[in-house]
Amino acid sequence: MPVIQSKTAGAGEAPKQFSQPSRKGKKAWRKNVDVTEVQQGLEELNKEIIQGGVIKEKASEDLFTLDTAGDSRLEKKFPKHIKKGLKADEIINARSAVPAVSMRKRPGEKTTNGLLPVKRQRTDWVSHKELSRLKRIADGQHDNTVQVKDATYDIWDMPAAPKETDVDDFLEEETKAKVPKSMKQQPISLLDSGKQVPAVQKPAGGYSYNPMFTDYEQRLAEESEKALEAERKRLEAEEADRLKKEAAARSAAEAEAAEARANLSEWEEDSEWEGFQSGVEDDKPSAKRPQRKTQAQRNRIKRRKEEERLAKHKAAIKAQRRQEQRIKELAEEIDEKERNKSVVDAEAEADSDDSTAELRDEKLRRKQLGKYKLPERDLELVLPDELQESLRLLKPEGNLLRDRYRSMLVRGKVESRRHIPFKKQAKRKYTEKWTYKDFMI
C-alpha cells in the first residue's frame, strides 16, 4: 500500500529502522500490518488542507513573492552610502539657471545659456508648398484624381475551378516555344570597324552593265591588283614552305653527319684523314693496339681543327651579313607600306564616299561568328569584250539567293554553315541464308 506523506513530513524526527512484526502466519498477517506512516501522512494532509491547501498542488506565485522595494532598514543601517548617490548624477544635476560669466570684455549678442528654444508649429500661416497646391486646385488641376475603370472580371463570380486532367490521356500538353533573349539584341556586324552594313549596298558607276570608261577602267585596275596580290601571297607562302622543308632536311642531314662523326673514335678519324683505311670495320678485332701519335700527326690534327673552326666562323659571318641585308630590306618594305598607308588614308579622308568604299572592301573582323569562315564574295566583273550595249544582249550572272545569304552572314543575322549536299545514311547489308548455301547480294 503506498504511503501518503506530506512535503514537510518527518522533518523533526530522526531516521530509524523500520520494524515489522512477523506475519508468516496465515491468519494473523492482515492484523499485524503497520499503518502508522499512512495515518501520519493523512493527518498532515488534513492539516495542510485546513491551513489553505496542499503545498505540492499550489503554484510558485502562491508560495513566493518578489521583493521590488528593497529592504527599508538599509537606509538606517548605511545612511552615508545610500543617500550620497553617483558622482555623474551630481555633475548632471548641478546645472545652474544663471548663465556662466563670459571671459570677453564685451559679451556678444549671440551668447546664450546653451538651451535651445522649443520649436512649435505655427498655425496662423500657410506654407509655400500648400499655397502652390491650392493654386493648382483652383486652376482646375487635380493631381490625385481617381480614374474609374471598368472591371475586367466579375467580382461576384466564383473562383475558377482547376483544370481537370484526364487520366486516360497520355499525350502531353502543347507548350508554345519561348522566344530566346538574343532575338531582342542587335546583331553583331562582321566588319572590322563594327559598322552596320545595309542589306543592299548602293552600287558605284563601275557596276553598271554599260559603265563609263573611266569608272570601268578604275574598277578593273582595282580587281586586277587584288588578284595579283592574292597570287603574290600564294607564291610567297609556297616559297616559305619550300625553304622550311629544305632547312629541315638540311638540319636533319647535318644532325646525322654530326652523330656519325661523334661515333667515330679519334684514332679512326685520324687514320681516314691520312688516306688509309684501318681495320676497325673488319669483323675480327685487331690484335695490334693503337700506337702513340707522333708530333707530325698531332700537328696535322691541330691544323685540321683550326681549318674547321675558321670555316664555321666564316659561315656564321655570312649568315649574319645575310640577316643584316634582310633586315634592311624588311625595314624598307615596312617604310614603303607605311608611306602607302598614309597616302591611302589621306585619299580616304579627302574622298566623300569613304564609308561606302569601306563597306565595299569588307575588312572583316578577326573573330567571326561560328566555326566556319565566311564564303568568298563572287567577282562582279566582266571582261571588256564581254560588255554589252543593251539589256537584251545582257547575260544573267550570279545568284541572288547566294548574295542574300552572304549579306545576312556579314550583317550577323545568322552564322556561317557548311553545305552538306548528301546526308550520310546507314549502310545496310542484305543476306539470304539457306541450309545448303550462303550468298550475299
Side-chain angles (χ1 to χ4, degrees):
M1 183 175 182
V3 179
I4 301 175
Q5 188 176 2
S6 176
K7 186 176 181 181
T8 58
E13 297 179 0
K16 61 182 180 178
Q17 187 70 24
F18 178 73
S19 61
Q20 174 70 31
S22 177
R23 46 190 177 90
K24 291 182 179 180
K26 187 175 181 182
K27 297 180 179 179
W29 75 276
R30 288 183 180 274
K31 296 186 294 181
N32 298 326
V33 173
D34 189 6
V35 292
T36 55
E37 293 183 359
V38 178
Q39 291 178 356
Q40 290 177 1
L42 290 173
E43 290 176 359
E44 292 179 359
L45 182 62
N46 292 332
K47 288 180 182 179
E48 290 179 359
I49 292 172
I50 292 169
Q51 291 176 359
V54 183
I55 296 176
K56 288 186 177 180
E57 296 178 356
K58 287 186 177 182
S60 300
E61 291 80 4
D62 300 336
L63 298 175
F64 305 100
T65 57
L66 295 175
D67 187 8
T68 57
D71 194 357
S72 60
R73 294 176 295 176
L74 290 176
E75 296 181 359
K76 298 178 181 180
K77 193 173 183 180
F78 306 102
K80 186 185 293 184
H81 298 283
I82 292 177
K83 292 182 179 180
K84 188 176 182 181
L86 298 176
K87 188 68 176 177
D89 295 337
E90 292 180 4
I91 295 172
I92 293 173
N93 295 329
R95 182 67 64 87
S96 177
V98 181
V101 179
S102 177
M103 299 300 293
R104 296 183 179 182
K105 294 181 179 180
R106 297 178 182 177
E109 298 177 355
K110 297 182 180 180
T111 304
T112 60
N113 57 355
L115 300 176
L116 297 176
V118 180
K119 291 185 178 180
R120 297 180 181 178
Q121 188 176 4
R122 298 177 62 181
T123 58
D124 56 345
W125 66 292
V126 182
S127 62
H128 292 283
K129 185 176 181 181
E130 186 69 15
L131 182 61
S132 60
R133 188 182 69 83
L134 294 174
K135 286 182 179 180
R136 288 197 302 270
I137 293 174
D139 294 339
Q141 181 181 357
H142 301 282
D143 296 337
N144 299 329
T145 304
V146 179
Q147 297 180 0
V148 180
K149 295 182 179 179
D150 296 335
T152 57
Y153 60 94
D154 189 3
I155 59 176
W156 305 108
D157 193 6
M158 295 294 291
K163 188 177 180 181
E164 296 181 357
T165 57
D166 191 1
V167 181
D168 298 334
D169 189 8
F170 56 88
L171 296 177
E172 297 181 357
E173 295 183 0
E174 184 180 358
T175 57
K176 296 182 180 180
K178 295 182 180 180
V179 180
K181 296 180 180 179
S182 58
M183 293 295 292
K184 299 180 181 179
Q185 299 175 359
Q186 292 293 334
I188 301 174
S189 177
L190 294 186
L191 293 184
D192 191 12
S193 60
K195 296 181 180 179
Q196 292 294 335
V197 186
V200 180
Q201 298 183 14
K202 184 179 179 181
Y207 287 84
S208 175
Y209 75 97
N210 191 10
M212 299 288 292
F213 177 74
T214 54
D215 297 341
Y216 179 77
E217 185 181 10
Q218 181 181 0
R219 186 159 179 273
L220 182 62
E222 291 177 358
E223 297 295 339
S224 302
E225 184 64 27
K226 289 181 181 179
L228 291 175
E229 184 67 23
E231 183 66 19
R232 194 181 302 112
K233 288 182 179 179
R234 187 184 67 81
L235 294 176
E236 288 178 358
E238 289 182 357
E239 184 67 18
D241 192 10
R242 186 183 64 80
L243 293 176
K244 187 176 180 180
K245 290 181 179 179
E246 289 181 358
R250 194 184 306 112
S251 62
E254 290 178 358
E256 290 178 359
E259 186 177 358
R261 196 182 306 114
N263 292 334
L264 294 175
S265 63
E266 188 178 2
W267 176 71
E268 292 173 349
E269 190 175 0
D270 183 52
S271 63
E272 289 182 0
W273 179 263
E274 292 176 356
F276 65 92
Q277 188 71 21
S278 63
V280 178
E281 289 82 8
D282 299 340
D283 296 337
K284 296 180 181 180
S286 177
K288 188 177 180 180
R289 298 179 64 182
Q291 297 179 358
R292 189 174 181 179
K293 293 183 179 65
T294 61
Q295 187 64 31
Q297 292 175 351
R298 291 194 183 94
N299 292 338
R300 280 196 297 270
I301 294 171
K302 189 175 181 180
R303 284 195 301 271
R304 178 168 52 81
K305 290 184 178 180
E306 185 67 21
E307 289 175 359
E308 290 179 357
R309 189 183 65 79
L310 290 175
K312 289 181 180 179
H313 182 63
K314 289 180 180 179
I317 290 175
K318 286 183 180 180
Q320 186 176 2
R321 289 177 180 175
R322 200 179 301 114
Q323 289 179 358
E324 290 177 357
Q325 293 177 0
R326 183 61 180 165
I327 289 171
K328 292 180 180 179
E329 293 177 0
L330 291 174
E332 291 177 358
E333 290 180 2
I334 291 172
D335 294 339
E336 186 177 357
K337 286 182 179 179
E338 289 181 355
R339 287 194 297 271
N340 295 336
K341 186 177 180 181
S342 61
V343 172
V344 170
D345 293 342
E347 291 178 356
E349 290 178 359
D351 192 4
S352 60
D353 298 335
D354 183 19
S355 59
T356 308
E358 183 181 357
L359 296 178
R360 192 176 294 112
D361 291 342
E362 284 190 356
K363 295 180 180 179
L364 302 178
R365 55 187 291 181
R366 182 175 299 178
K367 187 177 181 181
Q368 299 184 5
L369 299 177
K371 58 181 180 179
Y372 298 107
K373 292 184 178 180
L374 187 70
E376 294 293 337
R377 184 172 56 181
D378 295 338
L379 182 60
E380 301 174 354
L381 182 68
V382 294
L383 297 177
D385 55 351
E386 296 178 353
L387 290 174
Q388 304 296 336
E389 297 180 357
S390 63
L391 288 173
R392 293 181 179 180
L393 302 176
L394 193 64
K395 296 180 180 179
E397 295 182 2
N399 192 339
L400 290 177
L401 180 61
R402 191 183 299 114
D403 293 345
R404 292 300 91 221
Y405 176 66
R406 193 177 184 281
S407 175
M408 293 177 68
L409 292 178
V410 173
R411 286 180 290 158
K413 299 287 186 181
V414 293
E415 294 182 3
S416 59
R417 301 288 183 177
R418 185 168 58 90
H419 177 59
I420 303 176
F422 300 102
K423 184 179 179 181
K424 189 175 182 181
Q425 298 179 354
K427 295 181 180 180
R428 292 183 175 86
K429 186 184 294 184
Y430 297 95
T431 61
E432 187 175 357
K433 294 188 176 181
W434 302 79
T435 56
Y436 58 93
K437 62 178 180 179
D438 289 332
F439 62 93
M440 297 177 62
I441 298 176

